[in-house]
Amino acid sequence: MQNFEQNANSLDRLLIVFGSLAGGAISLIVIRSVPLVQAAMICSFVTACLVIACTQLTKPAIWWTALGVIAGITIGTSAVLSESLADVQTTLDFRVRLLIVGMHSLAGLIAGMILGRKIHNPHVPPLRTFLSRLSALTVGIFAVNVTGEYIVAGLEEARSFSSRLSTSSTILITAIVVPGVIGYLLTECRTGMNRR
């Protein structure tokens, strides 16, 4: 994957950008139209499946599309969560909060373990590269959402939405990434011990 990025021509780079944006936009639209608990369940399941798929994909444009879908799902679920944070009258029940964080943590752990097993596959980028690419796409989709809110509702609404979206995306990303890195390191360590 890294060799592809260094040797990619203009058409390849265009396909990467288009795939990432299309995947992110479609998943964002779908997730934002679903209630919070269902959005969280869909997000965690599809995220784990897509990370597993990313270990099998060899075509960079499709790989980047999958990464765009993961970023879109994360921001989409964060947007749904931020809408519930905006409603001061309704506070989320402890069990719902625990369910959301727990499902994302389980998805991250499973995805990290699968990535750890595939570490020696030349088509799979290292964990640092994977997370930096995903982070860049997530920040991009976040910025587009806040800009859209500014255009539609004005500066004060955009500022409030940005704060809520930042809080909810921090919660979800932490719930996925921390267990994912732990699963990755445990699997990598176990794989290294088995090779000796």
Side-chain angles (χ1 to χ4, degrees), residues 16-28 50 54 60-76 130 133-134 137-138 141:
I16 286 172
V17 170
F18 179 74
S20 301
L21 292 176
I26 291 167
S27 57
L28 183 68
L50 283 171
C54 282
I62 297 173
W63 187 86
W64 276 94
T65 301
L67 216 59
V69 171
I70 293 170
I73 284 174
T74 303
I75 294 298
F130 184 84
R133 301 299 189 268
L134 184 57
L137 282 172
T138 305
I141 293 173

Short mmCIF file of all heavy atoms in Angstrom, two decimals, residues 16-28 50 54 60-76 130 133-134 137-138 141:
data_model
loop_
_atom_site.label_atom_id
_atom_site.label_comp_id
_atom_site.label_asym_id
_atom_site.label_seq_id
_atom_site.Cartn_x
_atom_site.Cartn_y
_atom_site.Cartn_z
N ILE A 16 -8.49 7.45 -5.46
CA ILE A 16 -8.36 7.37 -4.01
C ILE A 16 -9.22 8.45 -3.36
O ILE A 16 -10.00 8.17 -2.44
CB ILE A 16 -6.89 7.53 -3.58
CG1 ILE A 16 -6.10 6.26 -3.90
CG2 ILE A 16 -6.77 7.85 -2.10
CD1 ILE A 16 -4.60 6.40 -3.69
N VAL A 17 -9.10 9.68 -3.83
CA VAL A 17 -9.87 10.79 -3.25
C VAL A 17 -11.36 10.56 -3.45
O VAL A 17 -12.16 10.69 -2.52
CB VAL A 17 -9.43 12.14 -3.87
CG1 VAL A 17 -10.37 13.26 -3.47
CG2 VAL A 17 -8.00 12.46 -3.46
N PHE A 18 -11.76 10.20 -4.67
CA PHE A 18 -13.17 9.97 -4.97
C PHE A 18 -13.73 8.83 -4.12
O PHE A 18 -14.81 8.94 -3.55
CB PHE A 18 -13.37 9.68 -6.45
CG PHE A 18 -14.81 9.42 -6.81
CD1 PHE A 18 -15.72 10.46 -6.85
CD2 PHE A 18 -15.25 8.12 -7.05
CE1 PHE A 18 -17.06 10.21 -7.15
CE2 PHE A 18 -16.58 7.86 -7.35
CZ PHE A 18 -17.48 8.90 -7.40
N GLY A 19 -12.99 7.73 -4.04
CA GLY A 19 -13.45 6.58 -3.25
C GLY A 19 -13.62 6.93 -1.79
O GLY A 19 -14.61 6.56 -1.15
N SER A 20 -12.65 7.65 -1.24
CA SER A 20 -12.72 8.05 0.17
C SER A 20 -13.92 8.95 0.43
O SER A 20 -14.67 8.75 1.39
CB SER A 20 -11.45 8.78 0.59
OG SER A 20 -10.33 7.98 0.39
N LEU A 21 -14.11 9.96 -0.43
CA LEU A 21 -15.21 10.90 -0.25
C LEU A 21 -16.57 10.23 -0.44
O LEU A 21 -17.50 10.46 0.33
CB LEU A 21 -15.07 12.07 -1.22
CG LEU A 21 -13.89 13.01 -0.97
CD1 LEU A 21 -13.81 14.06 -2.05
CD2 LEU A 21 -13.99 13.65 0.40
N ALA A 22 -16.67 9.38 -1.47
CA ALA A 22 -17.94 8.69 -1.74
C ALA A 22 -18.29 7.75 -0.59
O ALA A 22 -19.42 7.75 -0.09
CB ALA A 22 -17.87 7.91 -3.06
N GLY A 23 -17.32 6.97 -0.15
CA GLY A 23 -17.56 6.05 0.97
C GLY A 23 -17.96 6.79 2.22
O GLY A 23 -18.91 6.41 2.91
N GLY A 24 -17.24 7.87 2.52
CA GLY A 24 -17.56 8.66 3.72
C GLY A 24 -18.92 9.32 3.63
O GLY A 24 -19.69 9.30 4.59
N ALA A 25 -19.25 9.89 2.48
CA ALA A 25 -20.53 10.60 2.32
C ALA A 25 -21.71 9.65 2.41
O ALA A 25 -22.70 9.94 3.11
CB ALA A 25 -20.55 11.33 0.97
N ILE A 26 -21.62 8.50 1.74
CA ILE A 26 -22.73 7.54 1.76
C ILE A 26 -22.97 7.03 3.17
O ILE A 26 -24.10 7.00 3.66
CB ILE A 26 -22.45 6.38 0.78
CG1 ILE A 26 -22.53 6.89 -0.66
CG2 ILE A 26 -23.44 5.24 1.00
CD1 ILE A 26 -21.98 5.94 -1.69
N SER A 27 -21.89 6.64 3.85
CA SER A 27 -22.06 6.10 5.21
C SER A 27 -22.56 7.17 6.16
O SER A 27 -23.38 6.91 7.04
CB SER A 27 -20.76 5.49 5.71
OG SER A 27 -19.72 6.44 5.69
N LEU A 28 -22.10 8.41 6.00
CA LEU A 28 -22.54 9.52 6.84
C LEU A 28 -24.05 9.74 6.69
O LEU A 28 -24.77 9.87 7.68
CB LEU A 28 -21.78 10.77 6.46
CG LEU A 28 -22.03 12.03 7.26
CD1 LEU A 28 -21.53 11.86 8.67
CD2 LEU A 28 -21.36 13.21 6.60
N LEU A 50 -15.17 -3.79 8.25
CA LEU A 50 -14.38 -3.06 7.27
C LEU A 50 -12.89 -3.08 7.59
O LEU A 50 -12.06 -3.15 6.68
CB LEU A 50 -14.87 -1.62 7.14
CG LEU A 50 -16.15 -1.46 6.35
CD1 LEU A 50 -16.68 -0.04 6.46
CD2 LEU A 50 -15.94 -1.81 4.89
N CYS A 54 -10.15 -4.49 5.19
CA CYS A 54 -8.95 -3.73 4.79
C CYS A 54 -7.69 -4.59 4.82
O CYS A 54 -6.73 -4.30 4.12
CB CYS A 54 -8.77 -2.52 5.69
SG CYS A 54 -9.87 -1.14 5.28
N PRO A 60 -5.82 -0.40 -4.02
CA PRO A 60 -5.78 0.80 -3.16
C PRO A 60 -7.03 1.66 -3.20
O PRO A 60 -7.44 2.17 -2.17
CB PRO A 60 -4.56 1.56 -3.69
CG PRO A 60 -3.70 0.49 -4.28
CD PRO A 60 -4.66 -0.50 -4.88
N ALA A 61 -7.65 1.82 -4.37
CA ALA A 61 -8.85 2.67 -4.44
C ALA A 61 -9.98 2.08 -3.59
O ALA A 61 -10.69 2.81 -2.89
CB ALA A 61 -9.30 2.85 -5.89
N ILE A 62 -10.13 0.75 -3.62
CA ILE A 62 -11.16 0.11 -2.81
C ILE A 62 -10.79 0.19 -1.33
O ILE A 62 -11.64 0.41 -0.46
CB ILE A 62 -11.36 -1.35 -3.26
CG1 ILE A 62 -11.86 -1.37 -4.71
CG2 ILE A 62 -12.36 -2.08 -2.37
CD1 ILE A 62 -11.95 -2.73 -5.33
N TRP A 63 -9.50 0.03 -1.02
CA TRP A 63 -9.03 0.13 0.36
C TRP A 63 -9.36 1.51 0.92
O TRP A 63 -9.87 1.64 2.02
CB TRP A 63 -7.52 -0.14 0.40
CG TRP A 63 -6.95 -0.22 1.77
CD1 TRP A 63 -6.89 -1.33 2.57
CD2 TRP A 63 -6.35 0.84 2.53
NE1 TRP A 63 -6.29 -1.02 3.76
CE2 TRP A 63 -5.95 0.29 3.77
CE3 TRP A 63 -6.11 2.19 2.29
CZ2 TRP A 63 -5.32 1.05 4.76
CZ3 TRP A 63 -5.48 2.94 3.27
CH2 TRP A 63 -5.09 2.37 4.48
N TRP A 64 -9.08 2.56 0.14
CA TRP A 64 -9.36 3.92 0.58
C TRP A 64 -10.87 4.17 0.70
O TRP A 64 -11.31 4.92 1.56
CB TRP A 64 -8.72 4.93 -0.35
CG TRP A 64 -7.28 5.16 0.00
CD1 TRP A 64 -6.20 4.54 -0.54
CD2 TRP A 64 -6.78 6.05 0.99
NE1 TRP A 64 -5.05 4.99 0.07
CE2 TRP A 64 -5.38 5.93 1.01
CE3 TRP A 64 -7.37 6.95 1.87
CZ2 TRP A 64 -4.56 6.66 1.85
CZ3 TRP A 64 -6.56 7.68 2.71
CH2 TRP A 64 -5.17 7.53 2.70
N THR A 65 -11.66 3.54 -0.18
CA THR A 65 -13.12 3.66 -0.06
C THR A 65 -13.59 3.08 1.26
O THR A 65 -14.40 3.68 1.97
CB THR A 65 -13.82 2.96 -1.24
OG1 THR A 65 -13.37 3.55 -2.46
CG2 THR A 65 -15.32 3.08 -1.15
N ALA A 66 -13.05 1.90 1.62
CA ALA A 66 -13.40 1.28 2.90
C ALA A 66 -12.99 2.17 4.06
O ALA A 66 -13.75 2.34 5.03
CB ALA A 66 -12.74 -0.09 3.02
N LEU A 67 -11.83 2.78 3.96
CA LEU A 67 -11.37 3.69 5.01
C LEU A 67 -12.29 4.91 5.10
O LEU A 67 -12.61 5.38 6.19
CB LEU A 67 -9.93 4.13 4.71
CG LEU A 67 -9.02 4.33 5.91
CD1 LEU A 67 -8.90 3.05 6.71
CD2 LEU A 67 -7.65 4.78 5.46
N GLY A 68 -12.72 5.42 3.95
CA GLY A 68 -13.67 6.54 3.92
C GLY A 68 -14.99 6.18 4.57
O GLY A 68 -15.60 6.99 5.28
N VAL A 69 -15.45 4.93 4.34
CA VAL A 69 -16.70 4.47 4.97
C VAL A 69 -16.53 4.43 6.49
O VAL A 69 -17.41 4.86 7.23
CB VAL A 69 -17.11 3.09 4.42
CG1 VAL A 69 -18.27 2.51 5.21
CG2 VAL A 69 -17.49 3.20 2.95
N ILE A 70 -15.38 3.93 6.97
CA ILE A 70 -15.14 3.89 8.42
C ILE A 70 -15.18 5.30 9.01
O ILE A 70 -15.82 5.55 10.03
CB ILE A 70 -13.79 3.20 8.73
CG1 ILE A 70 -13.83 1.73 8.36
CG2 ILE A 70 -13.44 3.35 10.21
CD1 ILE A 70 -12.47 1.03 8.41
N ALA A 71 -14.51 6.24 8.35
CA ALA A 71 -14.50 7.62 8.84
C ALA A 71 -15.91 8.22 8.80
O ALA A 71 -16.34 8.89 9.75
CB ALA A 71 -13.54 8.47 7.99
N GLY A 72 -16.64 7.98 7.72
CA GLY A 72 -18.01 8.49 7.60
C GLY A 72 -18.94 7.91 8.65
O GLY A 72 -19.77 8.62 9.23
N ILE A 73 -18.79 6.62 8.91
CA ILE A 73 -19.61 5.97 9.94
C ILE A 73 -19.30 6.57 11.31
O ILE A 73 -20.20 6.85 12.10
CB ILE A 73 -19.36 4.45 9.94
CG1 ILE A 73 -20.07 3.82 8.75
CG2 ILE A 73 -19.83 3.80 11.23
CD1 ILE A 73 -19.77 2.35 8.57
N THR A 74 -18.03 6.77 11.59
CA THR A 74 -17.64 7.31 12.90
C THR A 74 -18.20 8.71 13.11
O THR A 74 -18.81 9.02 14.14
CB THR A 74 -16.10 7.32 13.05
OG1 THR A 74 -15.61 5.99 12.85
CG2 THR A 74 -15.68 7.82 14.41
N ILE A 75 -18.04 9.58 12.11
CA ILE A 75 -18.56 10.95 12.24
C ILE A 75 -20.09 10.94 12.20
O ILE A 75 -20.74 11.71 12.91
CB ILE A 75 -17.97 11.87 11.15
CG1 ILE A 75 -16.47 12.05 11.37
CG2 ILE A 75 -18.66 13.22 11.13
CD1 ILE A 75 -16.10 12.72 12.68
N GLY A 76 -20.68 10.06 11.39
CA GLY A 76 -22.14 9.97 11.34
C GLY A 76 -22.73 9.56 12.68
O GLY A 76 -23.71 10.16 13.16
N PHE A 130 -2.10 3.18 9.16
CA PHE A 130 -3.54 2.97 9.08
C PHE A 130 -4.28 4.03 9.89
O PHE A 130 -5.22 4.66 9.41
CB PHE A 130 -3.86 1.56 9.60
CG PHE A 130 -5.31 1.18 9.48
CD1 PHE A 130 -5.82 0.67 8.30
CD2 PHE A 130 -6.17 1.35 10.56
CE1 PHE A 130 -7.16 0.33 8.19
CE2 PHE A 130 -7.51 1.01 10.45
CZ PHE A 130 -8.00 0.49 9.27
N ARG A 133 -3.98 7.66 8.36
CA ARG A 133 -4.86 7.85 7.19
C ARG A 133 -6.31 7.99 7.63
O ARG A 133 -7.04 8.86 7.16
CB ARG A 133 -4.74 6.68 6.21
CG ARG A 133 -3.38 6.40 5.66
CD ARG A 133 -2.83 7.57 4.86
NE ARG A 133 -1.61 7.23 4.18
CZ ARG A 133 -0.39 7.39 4.65
NH1 ARG A 133 -0.22 7.89 5.84
NH2 ARG A 133 0.67 7.06 3.94
N LEU A 134 -6.72 7.12 8.56
CA LEU A 134 -8.09 7.17 9.05
C LEU A 134 -8.36 8.48 9.79
O LEU A 134 -9.41 9.10 9.64
CB LEU A 134 -8.35 5.97 9.98
CG LEU A 134 -9.76 5.81 10.51
CD1 LEU A 134 -10.77 5.70 9.38
CD2 LEU A 134 -9.84 4.59 11.41
N LEU A 137 -8.88 11.34 7.26
CA LEU A 137 -10.20 11.29 6.64
C LEU A 137 -11.29 11.72 7.63
O LEU A 137 -12.21 12.45 7.27
CB LEU A 137 -10.50 9.87 6.15
CG LEU A 137 -9.84 9.47 4.85
CD1 LEU A 137 -10.05 7.99 4.58
CD2 LEU A 137 -10.38 10.29 3.69
N THR A 138 -11.18 11.29 8.88
CA THR A 138 -12.17 11.64 9.89
C THR A 138 -12.19 13.15 10.13
O THR A 138 -13.26 13.76 10.22
CB THR A 138 -11.88 10.89 11.20
OG1 THR A 138 -11.83 9.49 10.92
CG2 THR A 138 -12.95 11.14 12.23
N ILE A 141 -13.95 14.85 7.15
CA ILE A 141 -15.41 14.70 7.18
C ILE A 141 -16.00 15.55 8.31
O ILE A 141 -17.06 16.16 8.16
CB ILE A 141 -15.80 13.22 7.31
CG1 ILE A 141 -15.40 12.47 6.03
CG2 ILE A 141 -17.29 13.05 7.55
CD1 ILE A 141 -15.56 10.97 6.09
#
